[in-house]
Every structure is written in C-alpha cells, then in structure tokens.
Amino acid sequence: MNLKSTLRTSLKIVIPLVFGGLLLWLIYRNMDIKAIWEVIRRGVRYEVIAFSLLFGLLANVFRGLRWSLLIDSLKAPHSKTRAVVAVLGTYAVNLVLPRMGEVWRCGVVTKYDKIPFTKLFGTLLIDRISDVVVVGLITFILFFSNLSFFTNFSERNPELLDSFQSIFTSLWVYVCLLIVIAAVWFVFKYMSNFSLVRKAKNMLKNVWLGVKSIWLLEDKPKFLVQTLIIWVCYFMYFYVTFYAFDFTRDLGFHKGLIAFTMSSIAVAIPVQGGIGPWHFMVISTLVLFNVAETDAAAFAAVVHTIQTAWTGLCGLAAILILPLIKNNDKIQE
C-alpha cells in the first residue's frame, strides 16, 4: 500500500471519527458528568442490557439469511452460513470504516463463492433499500400520529430542520444533479466505444441483475417475513434496555417506538457506530418524554457503548471464523 492510499484510508477513518467525537463532546460538555457517572454505577440493571444483546445478534443473523435469499434468486450456488457470517463481520468493519463493511461483505462472498461482485452489490442495494423503506414507513406513520412530538423536536432543534430544508431549497443542489445526469448521459451515448465505458456498462448490467433479485425471488413472502423479524428484533434490541433504568421503564411501548425510530434515523449518518448522532437523537427524544437530561445522557452512553462493543465483538469473531467455513457448504432452501 503506497503513501497516497494509506493517507486516503486514514482520512476515511479519522474524519468521521472526529466528527462523531466532536458532536459527542458538544452534547456532553455542559452536563453533570458526576451525576451521569452515578447513574452508570448504581442505576443500571446490566443483566437486562445483556439480555437485549440477544435480539441484536438475532436481527443480524436474519439479515444474513435474507441476503442469502436474494443471492439464491441469482441462481448462484453459495454458502448460506458464509453469507450470515459475512453480514455479522460487516458491522465490525463499519466500526473502522463507515459504510465500507457492505463492500467488504460482497468482496468476501465473491472471493469464496466466485459470484461476481457487481451482482452481489446489486443484491446489497435491495437489502439496504428494504431497510430504508421500513424506517421510512415507520417514520411516516409516527409523524402523522405524533405531530406534537415532531413539532416540539423541531422547535428544540431548529438547526436540524434548517439544514434539512436547505438541501431541498438550494438551487445549486439541483444544478449539480442536472450536470451529473447530463454528463453520464453524454458519456454513455457518445463515448460507448471506449473500453472503460464498455466496462462500466457491463458493470452496471451486473448490478442491475443483482437489483432484479427482488423480482426474481421465488419466495417473496419469506423475504417479507424475514424483514419483519429483523426489524422486530432491532426494536426489541433497543426497547428492552428501557427496563434497565428506572426513568425509562414506565415510558411504554409507544414512546419506545418513537425513540427507536429516531435512533434508526441517526444511524444513517456515516459515522462509526453512529457515535454522536445516535446519542443526540436518543437524548433529545427522551428529554421530550420528560426524562432528566443527565439521565437521558447516561442511558445513551451505557446502551450505545455496550451494544456497539457487542456488535463489534460478534463481527470480529465472524471475521476470524470466515476462513474455517468449508467451501462446499452449499446450504440451500
């Protein structure tokens, strides 16, 4: 690895980490750290949080099974076990390089099962789009059934609303988008004889084949059931932790769902483990539910730290056992 690529990789790690760390510092800098530490020491039922970890692992296992189902639709023999283990390893990679875990898992399956990377990447897009649709639907339903909460949230955090609005109201955003679309059209229309353009076309065709995996699925109900299980488990992964603290245990299912949705939105920001954005969204939400700010901060610190460490450890274990999975393990359903 040359100096330039080393520097580029280092920046990919450091910049998101610095951003998350800075946001974390801004969130906690004016809080009573001693009061937060007292909650962490004496006010947490850690056995309850330990129980919640099982739901996180189960959700990621089913994510791996769902991805394997998409790969099945490509008629490509592969190891279902490896697909699950690769998905678990994704989260460990993402803790170092945000969003690179998805690329890594496609690369792993390509290496061992000899399936074209671009086709796998197409299935990965469907995998992620499915999750965006689920979070979007939940957010949409909660938004219109809890307008007062979202109104209060935007009033307390006007800078978030302003930033979001600026993306859609800025003329430059649309100008740049049109320029990119025009440039791509021109290249593929008038430069199709260039070998690089032909390779790009072939790559996009393979990606599209992977994307079409959702239509080629022979058992679509199973895909939907697995998606439902994944998100029920993710919710339980978060909600069970409410019972580890006296100040959240009585908030109830509905408020738990709102807090879970806000935390899920935060995870979309490309920062290692959602460090910073996750804390901000969860603390801000709990405060609106009349939880003291120091208590909310302690909740976020404990839950995020333990669950992130758990995800990382499971991912690291998965990476270590990947070479031990036999290549002839072709478990198909």
Side-chain angles (χ1 to χ4, degrees), residues 234-243 249 251-253 256-257:
Y234 277 147
F235 170 68
M236 293 301 294
Y237 187 37
F238 178 83
Y239 182 58
V240 166
T241 63
F242 271 31
Y243 292 92
R249 64 183 305 170
L251 288 180
F253 173 87
L257 184 58

Side-chain angles (χ1 to χ4, degrees), residues 146-157:
N146 299 273
L147 279 174
S148 60
F149 167 81
F150 287 96
T151 300
N152 291 336
F153 187 90
S154 62
E155 287 175 353
R156 287 180 63 94
N157 305 283

Side-chain angles (χ1 to χ4, degrees), residues 176-192 197 200-201 204:
C176 291
L177 183 61
L178 285 173
I179 290 173
V180 170
I181 292 173
V184 171
W185 175 83
F186 179 83
V187 168
F188 282 100
K189 180 73 174 178
Y190 296 104
M191 302 176 67
S192 57
V197 176
K201 279 187 173 181
L204 290 174

Side-chain angles (χ1 to χ4, degrees), residues 228-276:
L228 179 62
I229 292 173
I230 289 168
W231 283 95
V232 168
C233 286
Y234 277 147
F235 170 68
M236 293 301 294
Y237 187 37
F238 178 83
Y239 182 58
V240 166
T241 63
F242 271 31
Y243 292 92
F245 303 84
D246 289 336
F247 48 81
T248 53
R249 64 183 305 170
D250 296 323
L251 288 180
F253 173 87
H254 188 243
K255 290 180 179 177
L257 184 58
I258 293 175
F260 166 71
T261 303
M262 299 300 280
S263 71
S264 298
I265 294 171
V267 172
I269 299 173
V271 178
Q272 287 93 333
I275 297 172

